[in-house]
Amino acid sequence: MKRVMIIDGLNLFIRNYIASPLISTNGQPMGGMIGFLKSLQKLIREVKPNEIIVVWDGPGGSRKKKTIISNYKGGRSPIKLNRNINLLTEDEELKNKAWQQLRLVEYLNNFPIIQLMEADIEADDLISFVSQEQKYSDWNKIIISLDKDFIQLCNNSTILFRPIKSDKNEILTWKEVVKLYEIHPNNFALARSMAGDKSDNITGISGVGLKSVKKYLPFLAEEKSYLFDDIENFCKQNQNAKTKFYKSVLDNLSLIHNNYLAMQLYLPNISPLVTRKIRDIISQFKFELNKTETEKMLYQDGAGENNFQDMYVAFKKMVVDNK
């Protein structure tokens, strides 16, 4: 089967931005940008994709979900750099980070890589849409992200590839998800709507985590997609049990419902107009490689010596295969 690699762009960029101490010959940090390209080459070696799609959060992407959960993704701590080198003031650091991300987009424009970004739409919803797009129905879909939100999308042809460390990856198939969590991906968003998600500032039921969900709602391990009403009815039938879990769920039905609306990716929050636009971009994309411009940019940015030969070879093959 052909493979499309779908990359959560900001997730991979931030991972490198935090960890890489790379400084340009011009004295500017560039670890996020060049680190992303190095990670991309490594991922291409490991995944061997036929197509690559990099998806970015659009401006105001969280706005719709904030109408459901007012403090969605609010109160996040500032990014903590996992490196000793810090040559810039706080304001300079912000400007440098923005420059690196914008410059990275320019680098990727030289490659046979589809980039997607839409205003008021989070990358999560676009990734969900692409993974379910008809063009890729008989392809393997490999989602690249540390974000566990994408666990719910795992199925017979979609896996979540989590690059935890440079020498360690976690590859989650739907079978691995059931083995690890005893919750099927089809019901994972429902389970997390009860447990909450601290990283996105989504408050769950007090004292309830995924472990208690799997213990008291064991049927969520089944492939069948259970509904909100199924959970409510089961808890009503068992509310007199010794555990307070079922009563806690019944006391927080509104919270669970709102969390689910914000967390589920089974039905991506995308308008028909944007749907048509994304399909056109994917179907009409021209696969091209501009190695000369890339090398010129690397020189201008003071990137030093970098060997991206394996990446260029893979890109040349993509161009030939898509003529």
Side-chain angles (χ1 to χ4, degrees):
M1 295 174 69
K2 289 185 175 182
R3 297 177 180 178
V4 56
M5 184 165 72
I6 310 167
I7 300 176
D8 183 352
L10 186 61
N11 189 277
L12 187 60
F13 170 79
I14 292 296
R15 178 174 174 267
N16 283 285
Y17 172 77
I18 290 172
S20 176
L22 185 63
I23 302 295
S24 74
T25 56
N26 304 321
Q28 293 294 312
M30 60 191 317
M33 178 176 70
I34 301 302
F36 186 105
L37 296 178
K38 290 181 177 180
S39 293
L40 177 61
Q41 178 166 250
K42 185 173 185 291
L43 288 166
I44 288 172
R45 290 194 196 110
E46 295 174 346
V47 177
K48 298 178 173 58
N50 300 91
E51 289 188 18
I52 301 172
I53 301 176
V54 176
V55 185
W56 302 99
D57 287 318
S62 303
R63 190 173 298 140
K64 293 178 182 177
K65 293 183 180 180
K66 284 182 178 178
T67 62
I68 302 171
I69 299 175
S70 60
N71 204 29
Y72 175 69
K73 289 191 175 181
R76 285 184 166 182
S77 301
I79 293 175
K80 186 176 181 180
L81 302 180
N82 187 25
R83 44 187 164 90
N84 296 324
I85 300 175
N86 190 6
L87 305 175
L88 307 180
T89 65
E90 184 176 344
D91 184 59
E92 289 172 337
E93 189 74 50
L94 289 172
K95 290 179 179 178
N96 172 266
K97 175 174 169 283
W99 171 79
Q100 286 193 58
Q101 188 175 346
L102 290 171
R103 189 63 165 166
L104 174 59
V105 171
E106 293 177 354
Y107 274 102
L108 298 181
N109 282 335
N110 293 328
F111 305 148
I113 290 178
I114 300 170
Q115 294 192 78
L116 299 176
M117 181 176 70
E118 288 295 326
D120 298 324
I121 298 178
E122 283 192 308
D124 296 22
D125 288 296
L126 288 177
I127 290 172
S128 172
F129 174 77
V130 171
S131 73
Q132 300 176 66
E133 174 55 14
Q134 180 62 33
K135 175 185 175 179
Y136 303 115
S137 60
D138 58 350
W139 291 42
N140 282 323
K141 281 79 68 174
I142 298 90
I143 298 172
I144 310 295
S145 181
L146 289 174
D147 197 336
K148 291 184 178 180
D149 288 346
F150 298 114
I151 286 177
Q152 61 186 283
L153 299 179
C154 293
N155 55 39
N156 287 330
S157 62
T158 304
I159 68 171
L160 176 59
F161 187 110
R162 303 183 70 237
I164 300 173
K165 296 180 180 179
S166 60
D167 60 344
K168 181 182 179 182
N169 300 314
E170 182 180 49
I171 300 175
L172 294 177
T173 64
W174 73 265
K175 290 182 180 179
E176 281 298 315
V177 172
V178 174
K179 181 179 177 181
L180 281 172
Y181 297 99
E182 295 180 40
I183 299 169
H184 196 282
N186 291 345
N187 300 306
F188 210 79
L190 194 54
R192 294 189 79 207
S193 68
M194 290 177 262
D197 183 358
K198 290 183 180 179
S199 66
D200 284 341
N201 204 33
I202 297 178
T203 303
I205 302 171
S206 178
V208 171
L210 291 180
K211 289 184 178 180
S212 52
V213 171
K214 76 175 184 181
K215 180 178 180 180
Y216 297 112
L217 303 173
F219 54 87
L220 294 183
E222 299 171 12
E223 184 178 1
K224 175 184 174 182
S225 296
Y226 283 92
L227 304 174
F228 184 78
D229 289 346
D230 296 321
I231 302 298
E232 180 180 1
N233 292 334
F234 187 83
C235 289
K236 284 180 177 178
Q237 294 169 12
N238 292 275
Q239 61 182 318
N240 293 324
K242 292 182 179 180
T243 175
K244 66 177 184 179
F245 173 87
Y246 301 112
K247 186 176 185 303
S248 294
V249 171
L250 292 173
D251 288 343
N252 289 278
L253 292 177
S254 179
L255 172 71
I256 298 169
H257 184 261
N258 284 343
N259 285 354
Y260 183 79
L261 291 177
M263 299 174 84
Q264 72 83 26
L265 295 174
Y266 308 115
L267 297 174
N269 194 356
I270 301 176
S271 70
L273 181 63
V274 173
T275 295
R276 289 193 296 271
K277 180 180 177 181
I278 299 301
R279 283 183 175 146
D280 286 344
I281 291 173
I282 291 173
S283 63
Q284 298 173 17
F285 182 74
K286 293 182 179 180
F287 289 79
E288 297 174 339
L289 170 62
N290 193 334
K291 179 181 175 182
T292 301
E293 180 62 22
T294 303
E295 294 296 321
K296 178 182 175 182
M297 290 170 63
L298 288 168
Y299 176 78
Q300 290 173 340
D301 295 338
E305 293 294 326
N306 287 284
N307 184 358
F308 292 121
Q309 188 58 34
D310 288 353
M311 186 167 68
Y312 293 143
V313 170
F315 287 157
K316 288 178 182 177
K317 187 177 186 305
M318 287 182 195
V319 171
V320 171
D321 290 346
N322 286 278
K323 278 188 177 179

